Structure formats: structure tokens, C-alpha cells
């Protein structure tokens, strides 16, 4: 009988067109990134390039190693840094370029990866939004030297919390094995708590309960009463919290195998709904994701730009639309001073502007025409196509 981790890896590997032995499992996606950086021996004096439009746990993982995050502003159409913008940020201390898949939209991977390889710079894909999608016919996560993925609540498929990495390079794999020797096993209490939260979400989460449940979960996790995605400490300063470097629990693997079985259908639905939202927004003359740019993106969430976030959010709650608020800050979800993460907002005008106006529509939605009607009703709050041109 094959062990559970091996079976889960085999399931994942089919989607990633890789050997199961190239995969490593963790408690969260951020932990997978940290292990990759340690495996690459990134540290003091090294620079890691990343978008100025990411989750704060990404620069956290870099800062825990002693290296320096170098942020690059985003392109107004793709919400990712362009190849040209990345090139200007490279110095002789650059060791890694992080290519983010944002909402399912790939970076300019072919150009970035081949340019970086010629210069001995390692590329890592932040594929936390991109599992199941592809770029130019190759699965997301397989373009770079390594990639990390997340299976947190809102990611392509969810195990509550969870993450893994794909390491294509053999020498790096050997190093990551060594690094992983110091992984802690999850405490039984945490595993059980996660199992309970997954069950609660399955049983009770619906458009009618979404807003109340979201508020309750955020309040409880901030108060430390349930296992949240981030501890309060991770959002206050870049100091590694206790118990950070943790492996994956069996409950997460079992849930992952279950979710993979239904994923194909979910991906189809996301794609179809993404197309419906783009068409609706284009007809209204509003900012939309241009389909021509990314023919095979996965549309984990669909970004919209609005004039007044609070008014739009209230309207969504009234209409029971499951709206999200990703990237409410260039380093989501930290508002206010970003200097502990070596970022000055003013230096990244497009990312700052996007963060001030962006919200996201659900794409795993059975009734997307209801969402399209909602967009039509709220048209006055939606911003025009040039909204991010600064
Ligand atoms: C969710 C997310 C992460 C981290 O994933 P976890 O599993 O929560 O650690 C990293 N980068 C981006 C862009 C994310 O959205």
C-alpha cells in the first residue's frame, strides 16, 4: 500500500506533467517558498525581485532568509510586472526573479525565464493562483526553475490551508530535501481544527451566509481563536513566527485528493465565467481583462476596478454576490506603513492605484448571469479602461 503523501503527489503530478518525486508538501504555500529560497542558499546581500502587488507573506519569506525584496511596479493591463520593467530592476546582486500568476494571469514567462537563465538568475513561479491553468500550452508552474502553490481557502482548489512546491532542477531538489529535515509536523490540535473548518465551510457556506461567515472567520482568526491564514504577527513585522516551518498534515492530503477529482469541472466553469465577465465589462465600456493577452488563463478570481470600494461592497452584500478584496494593499492585506517590508508605496504608482480600486468577482459561480446583471446595475461605480494609466 502506497503511503498517503506519495499518492497525493502522484495526483498532483498528473496535472503538472512532472514526476511525483519533484514535489514537496507543506502546511502553507509560503513555507514552500521559504524552503525553496533556503535550498538556493539565498541570504544576506542577495536580492529577490517580485511584483509590488503581492501578498505580504511573500516578502516575509524572503526577509526571513536575510535577503532583500526588490519590488517592481505592475503593468496596467496584465497586473503583473512586464519583462521590460523586470529587466531594469536587475542588479549584480539579483539571485531570484519571482514570477507571479495573478488571479490566474501568467507573467511574461517565456521571455523572463530565458533571459534570466542566460544570466544565471533563478526563476520561481508564485503559482498560488495558477494551478490547473497553462501558459503557451505548458502547465502553469512548469516554466520556471521551481514553483510554489497554495491550497488555502480561496486558491484553485482548497484544503483549508496548504502548499507545495515543484522543483525541476535535480541539484536544487537535493538541497530542498536537506532543508526539509527541519520541518515540524503539524500539531494534532491544528489538524483537527482545520478538519472542522473545512467541514463547516462545506456544510454552511453559500451566497446567503458568505458575508457573515467571512466576517466571523476574520474576527476569530485575528483573535487567535481559530487557525487563520496568517497570524497577526506576520502582518505586523517580517519576523518569523514560531512554528512557521511546518509540513503538511494528512487531513490536508486527503482533502486535496478529493478536490482534485472535481477540479476539471471547476476550471471549465471559471473559464466560461471569466469570458462572460469580460464581455459584460467591455460592453459597458469598463476596465476588463483583455482576453487576447492570455488565451489560456485560469481566472481564479476576476478583478474589477471600482470608484468606491465600500459602496460596491455594500451593493454586493445586498445582492449576495461573493465579492473578494484581494490586493487591498500592494502587500496584501497590510494597510498603512509598508516600510518594515522595505517598500515605499509612492514608488509603485500603478500597484498603489490598483490596490485602491480593485475587488474581485467569484468565478466558481453557477449563476454568472446574475453577477453580470449586478455589474450592469453597478456600472456607474466601475472604472474605465484607462483607470490604471498613471
Ligand atoms: C495566497 C498567496 C500566497 C501564500 O499562500 P499561503 O498558502 O497562504 O501561504 C502567496 N502569494 C500570493 C500571490 C497569494 O495570493
Amino acid at each position: 500500500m502506497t503511503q498517503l503523501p506519495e499518492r497525493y503527489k502522484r495526483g498532483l503530478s498528473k496535472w503538472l506533467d512532472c514526476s511525483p518525486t519533484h514535489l514537496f508538501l507543506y502546511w502553507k504555500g509560503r513555507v514552500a517558498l521559504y524552503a525553496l529560497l533556503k535550498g538556493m542558499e539565498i541570504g544576506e546581500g542577495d536580492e529577490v525581485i517580485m511584483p509590488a502587488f503581492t501578498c505580504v507573506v511573500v516578502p516575509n519569506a524572503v526577509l526571513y532568509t536575510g535577503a532583500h525584496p526588490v519590488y517592481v511596479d505592475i503593468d496596467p493591463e496584465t497586473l503583473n510586472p512586464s519583462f521590460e520593467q523586470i529587466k531594469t530592476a536587475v542588479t549584480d546582486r539579483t539571485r531570484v526573479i519571482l514570477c507571479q500568476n495573478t488571479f490566474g494571469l501568467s507573467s511574461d514567462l517565456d521571455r523572463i525565464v530565458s533571459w534570466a537563465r542566460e544570466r544565471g538568475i533563478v526563476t520561481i513561479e508564485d503559482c498560488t493562483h495558477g494551478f490547473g491553468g497553462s501558459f503557451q500550452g505548458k502547465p502553469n508552474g512548469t516554466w520556471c526553475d521551481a514553483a510554489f502553490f497554495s491550497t488555502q481557502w480561496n486558491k484553485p482548489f482548497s484544503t483549508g490551508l496548504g502548499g507545495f512546491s515543484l522543483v525541476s532542477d535535480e541539484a536544487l531538489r537535493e538541497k530542498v530535501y536537506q532543508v526539509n529535515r527541519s520541518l515540524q509536523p503539524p500539531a494534532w490540535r491544528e489538524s483537527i481544527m482545520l478538519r472542522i473548518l473545512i467541514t463547516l465551510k462545506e456544510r454552511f457556506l453559500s451566497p446567503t451566509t458568505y458575508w457573515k461567515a467571512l466576517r466571523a472567520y476574520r474576527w476569530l482568526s485575528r483573535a487567535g481563536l481559530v487557525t487563520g491564514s496568517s497570524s497577526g504577527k506576520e502582518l505586523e513585522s517580517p519576523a518569523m513566527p514560531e512554528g512557521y516551518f511546518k509540513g503538511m498534515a494528512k487531513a490536508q492530503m486527503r482533502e486535496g485528493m478529493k478536490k482534485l477529482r472535481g477540479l476539471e469541472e471547476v476550471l471549465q466553469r471559471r473559464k466560461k465565467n471569466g469570458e462572460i465577465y469580460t464581455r459584460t465589462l467591455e460592453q459597458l465600456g469598463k476596465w476588463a481583462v483583455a482576453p487576447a493577452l492570455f488565451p489560456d488563463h485560469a481566472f481564479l478570481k476576476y478583478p474589477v476596478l471600482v470608484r468606491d470600494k465600500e459602496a460596491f461592497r455594500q451593493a454586493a452584500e445586498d445582492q449576495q454576490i461573493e465579492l473578494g478584496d484581494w490586493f487591498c494593499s500592494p502587500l496584501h492585506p497590510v494597510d498603512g506603513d509598508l516600510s518594515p517590508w522595505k517598500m515605499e508605496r509612492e514608488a509603485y504608482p500603478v500597484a498603489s492605484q490598483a490596490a485602491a480600486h480593485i475587488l474581485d468577482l467569484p468565478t466558481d459561480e453557477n449563476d454568472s448571469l446574475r453577477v453580470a446583471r449586478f455589474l450592469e446595475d453597478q456600472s456607474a461605480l466601475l472604472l474605465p479602461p484607462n483607470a490604471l494609466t498613471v
Side-chain angles (χ1 to χ4, degrees):
M1 167 95 169
T2 323
Q3 299 287 307
L4 186 55
E6 277 62 45
R7 277 187 282 146
Y8 185 35
K9 286 183 197 174
R10 192 155 9 100
L12 293 168
S13 71
K14 288 183 189 144
W15 285 83
L16 295 169
D17 206 6
C18 70
S19 158
T21 58
H22 296 182
L23 297 169
F24 299 89
L25 309 177
Y26 303 89
W27 178 247
K28 294 179 186 176
R30 68 200 74 175
V31 184
L33 169 61
Y34 177 75
L36 288 172
L37 296 169
K38 292 302 276 185
M40 292 167 185
E41 293 171 25
I42 303 297
E44 204 88 28
D46 295 332
E47 292 178 353
V48 176
I49 289 184
M50 66 179 73
F53 198 60
T54 189
C55 195
V56 70
V57 302
V58 175
N60 269 348
V62 171
L63 287 159
Y64 299 163
T65 70
H68 200 93
V70 173
Y71 301 101
V72 181
D73 206 358
I74 54 170
D75 175 272
E77 277 190 60
T78 65
L79 305 179
N80 284 313
S82 70
F83 173 51
E84 281 73 23
Q85 286 168 303
I86 287 172
K87 277 200 292 191
T88 61
V90 168
T91 73
D92 54 10
R93 288 184 300 277
T94 305
R95 295 274 315 276
V96 178
I97 298 175
L98 269 172
C99 302
Q100 186 169 293
N101 181 296
T102 308
F103 298 113
L105 302 169
S106 296
S107 293
D108 210 349
L109 289 167
D110 49 345
R111 291 200 289 163
I112 298 168
V113 171
S114 61
W115 187 86
R117 279 207 179 119
E118 279 168 23
R119 282 157 189 81
I121 299 170
V122 177
T123 53
I124 301 178
E125 185 169 0
D126 178 340
C127 206
T128 51
H129 301 187
F131 185 87
S134 61
F135 178 76
Q136 294 182 3
K138 265 168 61 132
N140 288 343
T142 61
W143 278 84
C144 294
D145 298 305
F148 70 101
F149 302 81
S150 170
T151 55
Q152 188 256 14
W153 299 110
N154 295 301
K155 303 300 163 91
F157 68 99
S158 165
T159 62
L161 305 174
F164 55 95
S165 65
L166 163 60
V167 185
S168 306
D169 181 74
E170 188 177 345
L172 178 58
R173 241 171 4 244
E174 198 43 54
K175 296 264 182 60
V176 172
Y177 272 120
Q178 298 305 324
V179 171
N180 282 354
R181 284 162 178 258
S182 52
L183 275 174
Q184 302 174 20
W188 65 270
R189 192 181 153 276
E190 291 174 303
S191 302
I192 289 174
M193 169 85 81
L194 195 58
R195 189 57 255 164
I196 292 171
L197 288 171
I198 291 170
T199 309
L200 285 174
K201 187 181 172 203
E202 262 166 26
R203 295 256 172 90
F204 300 113
L205 200 69
S206 72
T208 346
T209 58
Y210 170 78
W211 287 98
K212 282 200 186 81
L214 183 67
R215 271 197 288 269
Y217 178 66
R218 286 187 175 172
W219 187 84
L220 287 167
S221 67
R222 221 170 295 128
L225 296 172
V226 297
T227 312
S229 304
S230 294
S231 72
K233 288 203 181 74
E234 289 173 280
L235 312 181
E236 280 159 23
S237 79
M240 190 190 279
E242 219 175 293
Y244 175 85
F245 199 55
K246 215 177 288 162
M248 185 178 278
K250 291 213 165 95
Q252 292 170 299
M253 299 175 204
R254 280 193 206 99
E255 185 63 18
M257 295 202 321
K258 198 169 94 192
K259 289 288 167 60
L260 282 177
R261 288 198 280 274
L263 186 60
E264 188 59 58
E265 206 180 306
V266 175
L267 289 171
Q268 296 297 336
R269 191 155 54 235
R270 287 198 180 122
K271 190 160 289 186
K272 190 187 102 220
N273 291 339
E275 283 161 13
I276 291 171
Y277 299 158
T278 283
R279 219 178 309 128
T280 307
L281 290 164
E282 283 181 341
Q283 276 164 9
L284 294 169
K286 304 300 181 182
W287 186 92
V289 178
L293 284 174
F294 301 96
D296 43 16
H297 51 234
F299 275 125
L300 174 60
K301 298 276 177 172
Y302 194 100
V304 283
L305 297 173
V306 304
R307 210 173 299 286
D308 177 344
K309 276 193 189 183
E310 189 38 42
F312 197 82
R313 196 204 59 75
Q314 189 58 54
E317 185 168 352
D318 293 344
Q319 297 292 314
Q320 302 186 339
I321 304 283
E322 299 180 34
L323 192 71
D325 64 350
W326 279 0
F327 304 110
C328 61
S329 148
L331 298 181
H332 185 88
V334 179
D335 46 31
D337 182 21
L338 300 177
S339 65
W341 293 275
K342 325 261 182 224
M343 180 189 266
E344 257 186 80
R345 274 168 206 265
E346 300 70 39
Y348 311 96
V350 183
S352 300
Q353 173 83 350
H357 296 284
I358 204 161
L359 290 168
D360 52 87
L361 301 173
T363 54
D364 185 8
E365 165 71 48
N366 288 317
D367 190 357
S368 51
L369 295 178
R370 192 172 74 93
V371 181
R373 274 199 302 279
F374 170 74
L375 289 174
E376 285 162 7
D377 289 346
Q378 301 304 321
S379 179
L381 288 175
L382 294 164
L383 292 179
N386 63 356
L388 294 181
T389 314
V390 291

